[in-house]
Amino acid sequence: MSLLFFIHLNLISFFTPITTRVDVCVSTEEKKLYEIINEYRKQKELDPIAFSSKLTAVAQAHAKDLSENYDFDPKGKCNPHSWSDEGAWTPCCYTNDHKQAQCMWDKPKEIAGYTGSGYEIAYFNSGGAKAEKGLEGWKKSPAHNPLIINSGMWEKAHWQGIGIGIYKEYAVVWFGEVADEQNKIITCNLN
């Protein structure tokens, strides 16, 4: 192989984006949450949101991180969109004034190679998070419902991917405006 060909190949490799393949499976409760969110959107005459393996990997990681490393305190400094220092990610404290929002928006890029920002809603139930209860809570929330149904400040967002994670007492859903080529739902028993 000539040196010029070798340099050309390396330049192509350098400038060609690497696609991160993320394989995930979802529990029956996570699949149910995905389905009832899209049913709710259909009732509002909105298009369904495609399943995203990458956003699901982030959602599942965050639900587990919250359960194992976050002390729920509604009046605490760091809200549930925060990430601990106990994982393969950059820890962050998402404050209620939203000044640290970027640390949450970038997690899909950092963890799963998702090429866009991600936006998360989270649900906590000390008795265990369930799909229907989570959606009921989000529908009643003036901060969370608009994100699900593209109203208010989210009216112009066009969700191309959704990721679902449920672990013990937490359910989290991630929304993104970039399509994920990995959108096949594989069911397994996680919870």
Side-chain angles (χ1 to χ4, degrees):
M1 173 172 14
S2 74
L3 181 59
L4 186 57
F5 181 71
F6 179 74
I7 291 170
H8 177 72
L9 269 177
N10 281 332
L11 284 175
I12 289 172
S13 300
F14 182 76
F15 290 106
T16 304
I18 297 170
T19 303
T20 305
R21 177 149 182 90
V22 177
D23 293 318
V24 297
C25 61
V26 296
S27 68
T28 53
E29 198 67 21
E30 288 168 328
K31 183 177 180 189
K32 182 178 183 177
L33 181 53
Y34 170 73
E35 291 169 348
I36 65 175
I37 285 173
N38 275 325
E39 286 172 18
Y40 177 51
R41 288 178 56 83
K42 185 177 178 181
Q43 292 168 7
K44 299 288 185 181
E45 299 180 6
L46 297 166
D47 291 333
I49 307 170
F51 177 81
S52 167
S53 292
K54 291 178 180 180
L55 291 173
T56 295
V58 176
Q60 290 174 345
H62 199 211
K64 186 173 183 180
D65 182 47
L66 287 168
S67 179
E68 295 179 353
N69 302 304
Y70 179 76
D71 292 323
F72 187 77
D73 178 4
K75 296 178 183 174
K77 178 183 173 191
C78 302
N79 71 32
H81 299 301
S82 302
W83 289 73
S84 77
D85 61 358
E86 298 295 321
W89 51 72
T90 307
C92 74
C93 174
Y94 189 113
T95 55
N96 288 329
D97 62 9
H98 305 287
K99 289 184 179 178
Q100 303 297 324
Q102 195 69 44
C103 77
M104 183 258 290
W105 298 339
D106 289 344
K107 285 298 177 250
K109 292 176 194 169
E110 178 183 351
I111 293 171
Y114 184 75
T115 58
S117 294
Y119 306 95
E120 178 189 55
I121 57 176
Y123 169 77
F124 170 84
N125 183 311
S126 61
K130 297 291 182 195
E132 289 176 357
K133 291 288 186 185
L135 184 56
E136 281 177 30
W138 289 320
K139 286 165 74 171
K140 294 174 187 171
S141 168
H144 298 97
N145 190 53
L147 197 130
I148 299 170
I149 61 168
N150 297 100
S151 66
M153 70 180 274
W154 301 103
E155 185 175 12
K156 294 185 180 179
H158 186 68
W159 303 133
Q160 295 292 309
I162 187 172
I164 309 291
I166 299 175
Y167 187 82
K168 296 184 180 178
E169 62 275 311
Y170 283 95
V172 295
V173 179
W174 283 78
F175 297 84
E177 293 185 277
V178 175
D180 183 350
E181 68 280 1
Q182 300 165 236
N183 57 12
K184 183 179 178 187
I185 297 176
I186 301 168
T187 307
C188 60
N189 188 7
L190 294 175
N191 298 349

